[in-house]
Amino acid sequence: MSDLYIAIDPGGTTGVAWLLWRDGEWLFGSDQIGDRYETEWWLAHTIEITERDTTVIIERWDVRANTHTLTNQDDPRYIIGWVDGFCHTQPHVTYVEQTPAQAKRFGDDLKLKRMGWYVKGEDHARDAARHLLTYLAKDPGDAGDYVREGLTR
């Protein structure tokens, strides 16, 4: 089981959300990061300074015929590739991918609000929080228990 869960919504503006076990409680946070190099630095720095068992959940970005019509950017694929490679070099990090549909189908605004994870005006941070919520709702450990309990409040 992890002590730190990080979810990433990669893009030109990258959303990040995290749940950290510290001093006997789970602490949630989220943010938006402006470019891919800052995203890479943030993740490496966060994992390095916490030195905890970590699970990284990232939105899978599939390239299709209409991908560049919908969003003409390369940042998601660069970020996903870097995060995948980085996580696999870290012995205490588990790497997980989710589709956008998985997170949006389960992690709706009502559930985010119930958990206190809804941040108005930060769409990318909210999308990362959706991925975090979706993953943790099925997690068999303490973080999963925390989320499932929060959803029943």
Side-chain angles (χ1 to χ4, degrees):
M1 303 302 151
S2 294
D3 292 329
L4 173 61
Y5 296 85
I6 299 171
I8 302 169
D9 174 45
T13 299
T14 295
V16 292
W18 59 91
L19 191 66
L20 169 68
W21 180 255
R22 190 172 77 196
D23 299 328
E25 66 179 324
W26 288 104
L27 304 172
F28 170 80
S30 65
D31 202 357
Q32 297 189 147
I33 300 173
D35 69 31
R36 71 177 184 245
Y37 303 110
E38 189 178 341
T39 300
E40 294 164 2
W41 178 89
W42 182 90
L43 181 65
H45 182 73
T46 300
I47 287 173
E48 180 181 296
I49 65 169
T50 60
E51 296 181 345
R52 295 169 179 259
D53 287 335
T54 302
T55 299
V56 174
I57 306 108
I58 194 164
E59 181 179 287
R60 188 172 72 226
W61 191 72
D62 296 325
V63 178
R64 297 185 179 90
N66 67 341
T67 297
H68 281 289
T69 305
L70 298 172
T71 176
N72 190 14
Q73 61 172 319
D74 292 322
D75 288 330
R77 67 185 174 98
Y78 287 122
I79 292 168
I80 293 166
W82 186 90
V83 170
D84 182 12
F86 174 77
C87 288
H88 284 90
T89 67
Q90 306 300 306
H92 61 284
V93 175
T94 301
Y95 175 83
V96 177
E97 291 184 351
Q98 286 180 351
T99 66
Q102 285 173 299
K104 288 183 179 167
R105 188 173 32 246
F106 179 80
D108 58 33
D109 288 349
L110 181 61
K111 287 183 179 99
L112 292 178
K113 288 175 182 175
R114 193 171 291 152
M115 291 298 300
W117 295 4
Y118 184 92
V119 180
K120 188 175 181 178
E122 293 193 358
D123 296 348
H124 302 287
R126 265 197 321 273
D127 284 344
R130 293 179 209 290
H131 284 288
L132 185 62
L133 182 67
T134 300
Y135 179 82
L136 289 174
K138 298 174 186 170
D139 183 74
D142 292 338
D145 291 343
Y146 169 77
V147 166
R148 288 185 294 277
E149 185 179 303
L151 291 173
T152 60
R153 285 184 232 154

